[in-house]
Amino acid sequence: MSKESEKQGLTRREFLNATAMAGVAGVSLGGGLMGMSPAFAAKSASGNATVGLGELDEYYGFWSGGQSGEVRILGLPSMRELMRIPVFNMDSATGWGMSNESKDVLAGGGGPYFNGDAHHPHMSMTDGRYDGKYVFINDKANTRVARIRCDIMKTDKITSIPNVSAIHGLRVQKAPYTKYVFCNAEFRIPHPNDGRDLTDPSKYRTMFSAVNAETMEVDWQVIVDGNLDNTDADYTGKYACSTCYNSEGGVTLAESIANERDWAVVFNIPRIEKAIEKGMFTTLGDSKVPVVDGTHGSKYTLYIPVPKSPHGLNTSPDGKYFVANGKLSPTVSIISISKIDDWFAGKLKEPRDTIVAEPELGLGPLHTAFDGRGNAYTTLFIDSQIAKWNVDDAIKAYQGKKVSYIKQKLDVHYQPGHNHTSMGETRDADGKWLVALCKFSKDRFLPVGPLHPENDQLIDISGDEMKLVHDGPTFAEPHDCMIVHRSKMKPLKIWKRDDPFFANTTAMAKRDGINLTTDNKIIRNGKKVRVYMTSIAPSFGITDFKVKKGDEVTVVITNLDMIEDVTHGFCVVNHGVSIEIGPQQTASVTFVANRPGVHWYYCNWFCHALHMEMRGRMLVEA
Ligand code: K7E
Ligand code: CUA
């Protein structure tokens, strides 16, 4: 052990002690945390997971960026932020929303929109295990679903979901492979929403949608009662289950919370698929997506009454249970998946016969994560705690046996929403780390104005006791995250020349007779000018080009550098033009040259000692 790590170890112990003390004294953790060691020194309390300077993390964490519309990659356990992936937002650094390639992706989602509200990132799976291929994420704000390619860590598809409003809950089909991405639309609207039934909420409906993971088209939709919230899938491919509030069908708050119980709704995927195969579906308005009626009493769904306004829905990694989190009720409802089989086989009397336990955990249970050793970890929004409890013990207690199922309650920072365990939504749940995403940071960090950061906390769950090991601010508003072992990931270090991400641009070059890796040429076509150039540090293949005022200019750049991390940029001063061009990538941007004069363009990604000199002139004739 080096002097430095010894010192960090000591600070760690002091920190843990301070936390334990603060736990007794309520939740005023301030002083004890101020002196904690830097984030990169996060260390498991069992002493086996230090990430030293220059060492690589064991896990990739994918964080949703909430209202920022992006996805972030953190290394765990260090909690170092590694990358931001623009998805629904515009991004000045990478030119997302400016480059033609990103505009093509964004166009798939309708719009134009410049905002997103990204809550739930989830990776594609095979046999209930992460496959490292895609991450899918919802946009509640503009009713969209996006896909990120994990080899290049860029968004490659965005789909606008028809017939519904506000996609919230999102999860993937876990087995046999991710054929579908399941998406819950939250708000109820008239069907179709074309101006009819405006003031008749009894006609409003929402739907559960299955997006095809490869084509990103909506394969089918299911009409439901109530408002859909969160969702998860089982480990056989047969079921998805969604929490559902507002069984009343109300439009005001009071109307929506009148009933004592709402539902967890189970979708029978094979039955829905069979109905669609047989043509037993309708369509709505202009949409061609097959729609089946899964409202109360339908053979496609099962409505299980649970305490009102349930929120998170989580499948245990042994594949046995769906857990619906109570939110307004201090309980979670444990639903047996084999009893769902029994229900659909006609063997049960009441939908609630599928519930095998309803343990009381504390105030405001929102989301539950699992460690693969039979324990569950539930965020208590109101208590600002994580409750660790044992699933089997909770079931025994429900059967009347005298066992205490709560193992520990850990104070976390104010109002935790989601939590997530390492590999915890897969068969590989390894019970090492738990992240709590807290909505407030209050006085925890240097004040930065009325808008405060939020607070991510990392908890070591490898031992018998949960131990808080990291506490760090984060920008608006990570709803959720997902923790993937690095062995599952194979990101590229430089682009492949035939990458489909820029296939449209390559096709355009081909039509223009251009060889992208050798040619530096200007093609004119009336008022359209296409400037093809290469780049190799520290110069652009074309250092000046002339256009006329009002010309529509498309600049296409191919970065010939083969060296990892030598990214160039292309920025035209006073034109709102800025794009990223990674090694071996082709990227393009189109703009109107509407001001006569000399306009310099420059490389805005540091690439070379002569990076400042990597520039050229656009000469615009009056
Ligand atoms: Cu609980 Cu959108 Cu998953 Cu917020 S959701 S916390
Ligand atoms: Cu190229 Cu900086």
Side-chain angles (χ1 to χ4, degrees):
M1 215 190 214
S2 72
K3 266 265 159 60
E4 189 52 29
S5 59
E6 237 167 41
K7 211 170 81 202
Q8 280 160 1
L10 204 68
T11 315
R12 180 70 46 219
R13 274 193 294 279
E14 283 166 7
F15 163 58
L16 289 169
N17 287 343
T19 310
M21 299 278 287
V24 177
V27 199
S28 83
L29 297 174
L33 293 170
M34 287 305 193
M36 68 180 290
S37 54
F40 53 77
K43 182 182 171 186
S44 112
S46 53
N48 56 8
T50 308
V51 183
L53 291 171
E55 284 176 23
L56 301 183
D57 279 291
E58 190 177 356
Y59 297 90
Y60 287 81
F62 290 85
W63 256 244
S64 57
Q67 317 91 317
S68 73
E70 64 189 11
V71 164
R72 300 167 195 156
I73 305 175
L74 273 67
L76 262 74
S78 76
M79 300 290 277
R80 291 174 290 199
E81 185 179 289
L82 305 177
M83 185 50 62
R84 294 183 168 201
I85 305 170
V87 183
F88 303 112
N89 55 321
M90 291 189 76
D91 180 56
S92 173
T94 56
W96 194 257
M98 283 174 265
S99 73
N100 293 335
E101 295 73 27
S102 65
K103 280 182 169 168
D104 286 349
V105 174
L106 285 158
Y113 303 118
F114 303 104
N115 69 312
D117 188 5
H119 287 214
H120 301 113
H122 291 287
M123 181 174 281
S124 50
M125 298 188 200
T126 302
D127 293 327
R129 301 188 148 96
Y130 290 137
D131 64 10
K133 207 168 168 193
Y134 300 125
V135 170
F136 300 91
I137 190 153
N138 72 300
D139 170 22
K140 179 167 170 177
N142 295 308
T143 316
R144 295 178 290 180
V145 172
R147 180 174 80 184
I148 293 164
R149 264 176 57 193
C150 294
D151 56 345
I152 52 172
M153 296 297 184
K154 300 275 186 203
T155 309
D156 84 320
K157 289 265 189 200
I158 299 182
T159 298
S160 166
I161 311 297
N163 304 326
V164 293
S165 174
I167 296 297
H168 183 233
L170 176 149
R171 292 268 183 164
V172 302
Q173 192 176 26
K174 296 176 201 260
Y177 68 101
T178 299
K179 178 177 181 192
Y180 301 124
V181 182
F182 298 124
C183 311
N184 280 347
E186 185 170 345
F187 300 137
R188 294 151 50 86
I189 52 172
H191 275 173
N193 195 18
D194 57 2
R196 73 185 69 189
D197 302 329
L198 291 180
T199 54
D200 185 0
S202 71
K203 298 254 175 69
Y204 298 180
R205 288 284 180 274
T206 193
M207 295 201 274
F208 177 80
S209 302
V211 173
N212 187 293
E214 283 304 325
T215 64
M216 287 294 282
E217 309 263 322
V218 184
D219 277 357
W220 42 261
Q221 295 183 304
V222 183
I223 302 173
V224 297
D225 288 313
N227 289 44
L228 292 172
D229 194 350
N230 280 291
T231 189
D232 204 350
D234 75 339
Y235 281 84
T236 67
K238 258 188 302 193
Y239 305 120
C241 183
S242 298
T243 47
C244 189
Y245 67 98
N246 189 21
S247 51
E248 302 85 348
V251 288
T252 65
L253 175 63
E255 283 167 14
S256 308
I257 58 171
N259 291 350
E260 271 317 304
R261 279 179 177 158
D262 290 313
W263 300 298
V265 185
V266 179
F267 298 88
N268 187 319
I269 312 298
R271 281 192 188 176
I272 295 164
E273 285 179 322
K274 201 165 280 167
I276 285 161
E277 255 173 54
K278 286 196 189 149
M280 293 157 59
F281 60 83
T282 53
T283 56
L284 289 179
D286 300 337
S287 159
K288 296 201 168 53
V289 177
V291 172
V292 301
D293 184 349
T295 52
H296 220 173
S298 139
K299 62 178 192 278
Y300 307 121
T301 50
L302 161 61
Y303 286 72
I304 304 169
V306 295
K308 69 175 155 194
S309 296
H311 185 61
L313 196 293
N314 305 91
T315 311
S316 62
D318 58 9
K320 287 186 182 166
Y321 308 110
F322 289 132
V323 173
N325 296 256
K327 190 166 78 178
L328 301 188
S329 157
T331 57
V332 297
S333 304
I334 307 178
I335 298 161
S336 158
I337 293 174
S338 68
K339 290 197 186 242
I340 293 172
D341 288 335
D342 293 344
W343 168 270
F344 282 113
K347 293 187 202 155
L348 296 185
K349 272 209 199 86
E350 296 295 330
R352 270 191 68 86
D353 294 345
T354 57
I355 292 183
V356 292
E358 220 149 53
E360 191 170 322
L361 302 176
L363 296 183
L366 284 194
H367 295 280
T368 295
F370 302 90
D371 64 8
R373 300 190 298 269
N375 300 309
Y377 302 78
T378 301
T379 47
L380 302 174
F381 178 76
I382 296 169
D383 283 340
S384 292
Q385 287 180 320
I386 306 267
K388 175 181 177 181
W389 53 283
N390 184 278
V391 180
D392 285 342
D393 288 346
I395 294 169
K396 282 183 201 144
Y398 194 72
Q399 293 161 349
K401 298 195 182 101
K402 271 210 149 57
V403 284
S404 67
Y405 46 82
I406 297 211
K407 302 300 163 192
Q408 188 193 355
K409 285 190 179 180
L410 181 74
D411 287 336
V412 290
H413 206 250
Y414 297 116
Q415 270 70 55
H418 274 271
N419 63 0
H420 207 96
T421 45
S422 43
M423 308 292 278
E425 61 174 355
T426 75
R427 281 188 200 285
D428 296 323
D430 63 11
K432 283 166 91 170
W433 302 103
L434 173 74
V435 168
L437 298 111
C438 306
K439 303 294 184 193
F440 295 95
S441 64
K442 299 288 182 190
D443 56 0
R444 188 76 125 226
F445 309 109
L446 280 177
V448 287
L451 180 64
H452 290 35
E454 274 126 51
N455 190 7
D456 289 337
Q457 294 184 317
L458 181 71
I459 296 158
D460 176 5
I461 56 168
S462 61
D464 283 341
E465 274 187 31
M466 295 183 276
K467 297 208 160 126
L468 185 63
V469 297
H470 167 93
D471 207 305
T474 182
F475 182 56
E477 176 200 334
H479 268 261
D480 192 5
C481 70
M482 168 193 63
I483 304 163
V484 182
H485 194 267
R486 68 184 187 195
S487 60
K488 302 281 180 187
M489 307 294 297
K490 294 210 169 40
L492 295 173
K493 295 198 169 170
I494 62 174
W495 288 78
K496 291 191 174 140
R497 285 296 311 143
D498 59 354
D499 198 294
F501 189 76
F502 48 84
N504 288 347
T505 313
T506 309
M508 178 181 77
K510 204 167 172 200
R511 288 193 299 273
D512 281 343
I514 294 287
N515 179 339
L516 285 170
T517 55
T518 54
D519 292 352
N520 288 292
K521 265 191 201 157
I522 297 163
I523 309 253
R524 286 171 198 282
N525 192 346
K527 286 190 80 65
K528 296 193 180 201
V529 181
R530 286 188 289 281
V531 181
Y532 290 95
M533 65 173 100
T534 57
S535 72
I536 190 154
S539 51
F540 290 115
I542 291 179
T543 51
D544 60 84
F545 62 88
K546 207 179 266 179
V547 297
K548 290 195 176 62
K549 182 186 174 211
D551 281 350
E552 184 197 271
V553 181
T554 298
V555 175
V556 181
I557 301 179
T558 299
N559 180 348
L560 297 182
D561 278 300
M562 303 278 285
I563 303 162
E564 118 178 38
D565 207 12
V566 179
T567 293
H568 298 294
F570 178 80
C571 178
V572 187
V573 175
N574 295 340
H575 282 74
V577 164
S578 168
I579 59 172
E580 164 210 351
I581 318 118
Q584 294 293 301
Q585 183 186 6
T586 293
S588 66
V589 60
T590 299
F591 57 96
V592 177
N594 51 11
R595 258 174 281 163
V598 173
H599 298 284
W600 287 90
Y601 53 88
Y602 70 96
C603 172
N604 59 341
W605 278 85
F606 191 95
C607 57
H608 192 274
L610 292 171
H611 156 76
M612 292 295 289
E613 285 78 358
M614 186 167 174
R615 60 197 176 117
R617 286 170 303 153
M618 176 172 73
L619 311 171
V620 183
E621 295 176 334

